[in-house]
Amino acid sequence: MTVSLTTPLAKLLTNRRRVSALKGLGLVTCADALTYYPFRVTDPVPLRAVREGRIGEPMAFAGVVRDVRVMQMNARRGYRVQAMVDDSAFAAQRHVPGSVTALVFFSYKQQYVNWLSARLHAGASVVVCGTPSEYDGMPQFTHPEVLTVPPTPTASQESARGLRFDADSIDDALRRVCRPRPVYHANSRISSEHIHDSIVTVLRALAAGDDDEAELSTAQSEKTAQSGETAQSTQSGTHGTTGTTARSPEPAEPEESAPSLSRASSLSPAPDGIETSPKIPTAALRRAIPDILPESVREACGLMHRAEAFLAIHEPDSVDSFRQALHTLRYEEAFISQTAVLQEREQARKAETFPCTDGDMRETFIDSLPFTLTGGQTSVIDDIVQDMGRDYPMQRLLQGEVGSGKTVVALAAMLQAVGSGYQAVLVAPTQVLAEQHAETVGGMVSKAGLDIPVTLVTGGMKLAARRKALAAAASGEPGIIIATHAAFSRTFQAPNLALAVIDEQHRFGVEQRETLLQRGEKIPHLLVMTATPIPRTAAMTWFGSLDLSWLTELPGGRKPIRTFVIPEADGPTMANMFRHIRRRIDAGERAYIVCARIDEDESAEQAGQDVELFDEPDDGSGSGDGSGESSSAQPKPPLHAVSEIAARLEALPQFQGVRFATLTGRDDDATKQQVMADFASGVTPVLVATTVIEVGVDVPRASCIVIFDADRFGLSQLHQLRGRVGRGGTDSWAFLVSRAEPGSIAEQRLAVIQGSLDGAEIAQADLELRGAGDVLGDAQSGGKSGLKLLRVVKDAKMIADARSCAEQVLAADPGLEHEVQLAGAVLDFTRGNESHLISS
C-alpha cells in the first residue's frame, strides 16, 4: 500500500478503537494527524541512580534484571509482573552506591505477560525511564518505559542475526528515553501517549512508502499497542514522564497501562518477534511530504523543510529542535494565510462595479448636521469617496468605538451611491436595530432636505408591507434600503445596488454576504462595520484583504463612562450601587441590568450561545495523562439569569414602586419592539436583559448599566455593553458585578476594562489573555481553518514579514504556476477560511 498525506488512518492503523478515538478528535487522514500539534513538550528526563531518585519526579537509569516473577492476583483477575533491577554498574559511574528496585506491570492478558516476562528475563540489560513511587518502604516503578539493550558489543553484532533489542547500546537507549516528549490535548477515549504513538506510526509509514516490510511492521506495532490500550486515558497514559505512579500494586483495572516496553508502540518489537524499526529517515520523509514554502523563502528565513518540521515537532531530539519546528510551521501558516489574503484582494480588483462620483447629496447632508464631524469621520469619508469613485469594488472594514459615529459615515457613503443614481443597502443583524436605523436615517435625510426614499425590509413585516418594500427595491430606483437578513433571501432584488453596508459584520454568515454581493452583473462596493474592538495586528491577519479604517474619537458632548468593579459578596457596596441607580431613575434616566442566562434552568452551554463565556485558562501544563485538563480547576458557580435577577431586584426596597421589564432572545419581534419603546419612554425604566442589547440599541436617557457575572464575559463584549449608556451626553456609570477570586486572571481582566475606555487597548489585552478564538469568534480565528499555531499578537512581526515575502512571490508568479504545493495550500485555506477574507 502506498501511503500519502491523504491516506485514511483507518487504512494504516489496525486498532479500530484507536481509529475511532482519533476520528473523534477530527483526525481522519495522515495529514490530519501530522497537523494535530502538541501543545507543549516536556523537559528532558534527568539521569539518576535509584538512590538519587526522588518520589514523584521522572528519572532514567540503566541496570540489569536480577529476578522476574509473575503472580496471579487473588482479588481480581489478571497478573502482576515484578522485575527486580540492579543499577550497581550505572550507580558506580555516578559515584553513588547501587541498589535494587522493582518494576511492576499489570495485565489480564496471558500473551502480554509471557512476552513481558521473557523480555525481562534474569540477566537482561535494560534502560528504565519512569517516575518512582514508594510501596512498603521501597522505591518501585509502575509501568515504566523500558528499553532492552545488548549486554556486550558482541551481542550487538549478533542482534543483526535474529536477536532483538530496542537499542544498540546503553548510551543510545539513555538518549532515547531522556529526550523531550510532545504532549497533546487528549480526552477520555485516548491518551496523549497513544496519540503520539499513532502520529509516529504515520511518519514511519510515510517514510517507508510502499515497502511491504514497513507496512507489516506498522501493523504489528499497532497490534502491540492494541494489547495495552485502554478505554480511559487516565489508565492508558501512565508510563514515561507523563505517567502516574501507584502506591498499591493493584490498579483500578487489571490491565496493562503501557502499550509496550519501548518509548512508543511504533518503536517496540511485537510479541511475535518483528524487529524494531530504525530511526525515521529524514530524506525518505522529505520525498513523501513536499514542502509548501518556496525554496527561496525557506532559505532566506532559515526555516526547516516541512517534513523535517513535522518530525521535529512530533519526535523531537531536543527542546531547541521542537522550538525550531514550531517556528517553521507557524511561519508556514502565516505565509499561506497572507498569500490567500493578497490573492483575494487582487481578484476583487478585477471585478466590475458601479463608479460613484457624484457627491452633491453627501455634501448637502454633511452641511445639514447640527455638529461638526470629527477628524476621524472626515478622513474615513474621504477614503470611502475615493474608493467608490474607482471602477473596481471598494472593500473596506470600518472599526469604530461604540458611539464614534459610524452611522453618519455609513449614511454619507450611501448618499454618495444614491447621488450617483444607484441604490444602497444597510443590513442590520436584528429587526430592532434595522427599525432604529430606518428611523435615524430617515430623520437625517429629511432634515437635510433630501427627497430620497428610505425603504425598510424585514422578515417580521406584514405580508402586504413587505411586498411593497420588495417591489420598491426591485424597481431599481435610486434610494436607501434598510434591511435585516431579509436582504439575503431570494425575494430581495436590487438591480442597481452600488453599495452594501454590513453593520456588525461578524453576525452574518459568509454565504449570506456572498449572496447579496454577487446577485447582479456588477459587484457592489462593500463597507463592513463593527464596534467590536479589533487590534490592528489581528485585523492585518483576519481582514488583510480589506482596506482598514478606525474611528477612535468620540463626538463632542459624550462624557467618559465611569466604570466600577463590584464584588458580589460585598453587600454594602451592592446596596449603595442600587441606591445610586434608584436616584438616577428618579432623575428621569434609565438603567440596564445584564445577565448571561435567560432563566435558572438554562445550562451554561445554552447561555454560551449568546454570551462570550470565559473561564480561567489551563496553565498549559496539562494533567498527568497529557489531556491538557487541569485536575485542580474549581467548578464555576451558576450564572445569574434574567428571571432570577428581575425577581430579586423587584423585591429590593431600593426599587419599590419602580416597574421592571425583561428582554431576551426568545422574545418575538413585536414583544422586543414594545419592551424597547416602554424602556425608552420611561414606562419601565429598568430593563433586565441578556446580551441581546449589545448591538445598536440606542436609548439616550440610559445612564447606568449593571453586568452580572462580568468576570465570565469577554472584555470586548463588556466594552460593547458598556457603550449602551451615556449616549445622550449625560453622566453615565457601568457596574461590573464579579465573583472572581482575588488575584485571579479574571480579576486582572476586569481591571483592564475598569482602567480603560480605549477599545483597541482593551481588545489587545483581551487577545493576549484569551487568544484570537474567543475574541474574534471561531470562524475568524482558525477554529475551522488550517491556522493552528499562529498567534495574532505575539507573531505580529512574523505575519508582517510573511506578507512582505508573499507579495514578492506573487509579483513574480501571480498565479503560483511554479509553486504548485503553495497554490494547493492556499486553495485549501481559502475554502475552509472564507470568513477571514473579502467576504468578512
Side-chain angles (χ1 to χ4, degrees):
M1 178 182 70
T2 301
V3 181
S4 68
L5 291 175
T6 58
T7 300
L9 295 177
K11 290 187 177 181
L12 193 62
L13 308 180
T14 60
N15 188 330
R16 298 300 96 190
R17 185 168 61 186
R18 181 177 292 194
V19 170
S20 176
L22 291 171
K23 186 176 181 180
L25 295 174
L27 312 184
V28 178
T29 66
C30 289
D32 296 333
L34 294 185
T35 54
Y36 191 77
Y37 301 117
F39 66 90
R40 70 179 177 98
V41 65
T42 65
D43 293 326
V45 178
L47 293 177
R48 289 175 184 163
V50 172
R51 285 186 182 274
E52 297 175 301
R54 304 185 186 103
I55 300 300
E57 293 185 12
M59 57 172 284
F61 67 94
V64 177
V65 178
R66 296 305 182 198
D67 177 59
V68 62
R69 289 188 294 170
V70 178
M71 293 157 282
Q72 191 164 2
M73 292 184 287
N74 296 325
R76 301 172 182 171
R77 63 190 181 97
Y79 303 88
R80 178 174 183 263
V81 180
Q82 178 177 290
M84 304 304 295
V85 177
D86 184 350
D87 75 336
S88 297
F90 178 77
Q93 295 176 3
R94 299 182 61 80
H95 309 292
V96 296
S99 62
V100 177
T101 189
L103 312 184
V104 182
F105 304 86
F106 303 94
S107 178
Y108 63 87
K109 296 180 181 178
Q110 183 70 54
Q111 181 189 16
Y112 177 82
V113 169
N114 293 341
W115 173 71
L116 187 62
S117 56
R119 292 298 300 270
L120 298 180
H121 60 82
S125 292
V126 295
V127 165
V128 179
C129 179
T131 303
S133 60
E134 187 176 348
Y135 179 68
D136 280 348
M138 298 289 292
Q140 76 170 24
F141 293 80
T142 306
H143 280 282
E145 179 179 354
V146 181
L147 299 184
T148 59
V149 296
T152 64
T154 303
S156 178
Q157 296 171 4
E158 291 172 351
S159 68
R161 297 195 296 270
L163 298 178
R164 296 175 298 277
F165 300 100
D166 296 322
D168 291 334
S169 66
I170 288 177
D171 288 343
D172 177 45
L174 288 172
R175 278 193 299 270
R176 285 169 58 178
V177 300
C178 290
R179 66 184 183 180
R181 317 294 181 92
V183 183
Y184 302 82
H185 286 294
N187 57 31
S188 60
R189 298 183 63 195
I190 187 168
S191 68
S192 171
E193 186 69 22
H194 285 136
I195 294 171
H196 177 246
D197 293 348
S198 302
I199 295 174
V200 171
T201 298
V202 169
L203 286 167
R204 193 170 298 285
L206 286 167
D210 58 354
D211 190 305
D212 291 337
E213 183 178 351
E215 185 178 339
L216 178 61
S217 176
T218 298
Q220 292 294 347
S221 294
E222 276 298 308
K223 184 169 70 175
T224 303
Q226 197 172 16
S227 71
E229 194 156 355
T230 64
Q232 300 294 324
S233 65
T234 53
Q235 297 172 349
S236 62
T238 57
H239 69 292
T241 57
T242 59
T244 58
T245 56
R247 292 186 178 275
S248 168
E250 296 203 11
E253 291 293 335
E255 55 184 354
E256 68 277 18
S257 298
S260 68
L261 290 177
S262 69
R263 181 172 187 273
S265 62
S266 57
L267 297 177
S268 69
D272 62 357
I274 299 300
E275 283 207 46
T276 300
S277 300
K279 182 177 174 64
I280 300 171
T282 303
L285 200 60
R286 287 172 66 130
R287 290 192 293 270
I289 304 176
D291 212 347
I292 287 178
L293 293 175
E295 186 72 15
S296 59
V297 173
R298 188 166 64 82
E299 290 182 354
C301 298
L303 303 174
M304 305 169 75
H305 188 281
R306 193 173 199 232
E308 295 171 342
F310 279 142
L311 187 58
I313 202 169
H314 293 300
E315 192 77 330
D317 288 324
S318 65
V319 173
D320 285 343
S321 66
F322 178 88
R323 288 172 178 166
Q324 186 181 0
L326 199 61
H327 175 76
T328 294
L329 294 170
R330 275 195 180 126
Y331 193 94
E332 178 186 280
E333 289 185 353
F335 193 88
I336 292 170
S337 67
Q338 294 307 301
T339 302
V341 159
L342 291 169
Q343 278 196 326
E344 288 289 332
R345 185 187 184 97
E346 188 61 31
Q347 190 66 31
R349 293 188 174 184
K350 296 178 182 178
E352 189 178 357
T353 190
F354 302 89
C356 301
T357 57
D358 190 334
D360 290 345
M361 284 189 177
R362 170 180 52 82
E363 291 295 339
T364 300
F365 160 66
I366 293 175
D367 291 341
S368 72
L369 291 173
F371 53 84
T372 303
L373 296 180
T374 66
Q377 287 175 312
T378 301
S379 177
V380 172
I381 290 173
D382 289 344
D383 289 341
I384 290 173
V385 168
Q386 185 176 1
D387 289 348
M388 293 180 66
R390 299 190 177 108
D391 56 3
Y392 58 84
M394 171 180 71
Q395 305 281 342
R396 185 168 290 277
L397 169 68
L398 174 58
Q399 194 278 316
E401 285 288 339
V402 176
S404 60
K406 296 186 298 299
T407 302
V408 170
V409 173
L411 181 51
M414 290 190 287
L415 290 174
Q416 181 77 14
V418 175
S420 301
Y422 304 115
Q423 295 171 292
V425 62
L426 170 61
V427 185
T430 67
Q431 180 163 333
V432 170
L433 185 53
E435 291 172 344
Q436 208 167 82
H437 275 316
E439 182 178 351
T440 301
V441 169
M444 287 183 170
V445 168
S446 177
K447 288 179 181 178
L450 298 172
D451 185 17
I452 298 172
V454 178
T455 305
L456 177 65
V457 181
T458 71
M461 298 173 69
K462 292 184 178 180
L463 183 59
R466 189 162 183 245
R467 283 179 175 172
K468 182 179 179 181
L470 289 173
S475 70
E477 292 295 319
I480 294 174
I481 304 163
I482 311 294
T484 58
H485 291 73
F488 306 127
S489 69
R490 293 182 179 179
T491 56
F492 179 81
Q493 299 292 331
N496 291 319
L497 183 63
L499 173 65
V501 180
I502 309 294
D503 193 14
E504 292 303 328
Q505 55 82 29
H506 64 282
R507 302 215 168 200
F508 298 100
V510 175
E511 295 81 5
Q512 291 175 318
R513 295 192 289 268
E514 289 296 327
T515 298
L516 179 62
L517 295 177
Q518 298 182 359
R519 277 206 178 129
E521 296 180 359
K522 296 183 179 181
I523 304 296
H525 299 285
L526 175 65
L527 175 65
V528 293
M529 304 192 302
T530 181
T532 302
I534 304 171
R536 291 175 185 262
T537 52
M540 182 175 66
T541 305
W542 308 128
F543 306 106
S545 57
L546 301 174
D547 294 309
L548 307 176
S549 295
W550 276 268
L551 285 179
T552 56
E553 301 174 68
L554 294 181
R558 291 291 299 270
K559 295 182 179 180
I561 303 169
R562 281 171 276 188
T563 305
F564 299 90
V565 177
I566 310 293
E568 188 172 340
D570 187 348
T573 304
M574 291 282 288
N576 287 337
M577 175 185 72
F578 291 132
R579 278 194 290 270
H580 171 79
I581 293 173
R582 176 58 189 261
R583 287 195 295 269
R584 303 322 306 163
I585 291 171
D586 291 342
E589 296 168 9
R590 317 282 183 265
Y592 295 104
I593 312 291
V594 179
C595 305
R597 291 194 298 170
I598 296 176
D599 45 49
E600 293 183 76
D601 58 0
E602 182 186 22
S603 68
E605 289 76 13
Q606 290 173 316
Q609 296 173 5
D610 298 314
V611 58
E612 299 177 57
L613 293 184
F614 176 82
D615 291 329
E616 293 292 341
D618 184 8
D619 61 6
S621 61
S623 60
D625 62 1
S627 65
E629 297 181 5
S630 173
S631 59
S632 62
Q634 297 296 320
K636 294 290 180 181
L639 297 164
H640 289 300
V642 167
S643 56
E644 167 213 350
I645 292 298
R648 281 175 53 185
L649 297 188
E650 284 181 299
L652 290 177
Q654 292 96 324
F655 294 112
Q656 186 175 2
V658 174
R659 292 186 60 186
F660 282 69
T662 62
L663 184 67
T664 73
R666 291 182 188 169
D667 296 324
D668 56 39
D669 290 332
T671 301
K672 290 177 182 176
Q673 293 172 35
Q674 187 60 52
V675 167
M676 289 308 302
D678 290 345
F679 179 64
S681 66
V683 173
T684 52
V686 179
L687 178 61
V688 185
T690 60
T691 55
V692 70
I693 67 162
E694 176 186 354
V695 175
V697 174
D698 190 358
V699 178
R701 298 293 293 170
S703 64
C704 297
I705 185 168
V706 179
I707 305 173
F708 280 91
D709 296 305
D711 53 301
R712 305 284 291 279
F713 285 71
L715 295 187
S716 295
Q717 191 170 33
L718 288 174
H719 183 61
Q720 280 267 63
L721 289 166
R722 178 171 61 180
R724 295 307 101 204
V725 299
R727 304 176 73 87
T730 61
D731 291 330
S732 54
W733 296 264
F735 301 100
L736 310 181
V737 179
S738 167
R739 289 184 279 186
E741 294 292 330
S744 64
I745 292 179
E747 187 180 62
Q748 296 175 35
R749 294 171 54 250
L750 292 181
V752 170
I753 197 162
Q754 182 180 19
S756 177
L757 294 171
D758 186 332
E761 179 182 326
I762 291 168
Q764 187 81 4
D766 209 8
L767 202 53
E768 292 171 352
L769 289 167
R770 297 205 288 157
D774 291 316
V775 178
L776 299 176
D778 284 343
Q780 295 170 346
S781 66
K784 297 181 180 179
S785 74
L787 292 183
K788 300 179 180 181
L789 298 173
L790 198 62
R791 303 163 303 181
V792 175
V793 176
K794 294 182 179 179
D795 296 328
K797 184 177 180 181
M798 178 188 293
I799 293 168
D801 182 73
R803 188 181 185 92
S804 177
C805 290
E807 287 174 344
Q808 295 176 26
V809 170
L810 289 173
D813 185 7
L816 298 179
E817 296 176 2
H818 302 294
E819 300 291 345
V820 178
Q821 296 299 327
L822 176 59
V826 168
L827 182 61
D828 290 342
F829 174 85
T830 305
R831 284 173 175 169
N833 218 358
E834 296 92 342
S835 59
H836 296 187
L837 306 177
I838 277 181
S839 51
S840 293

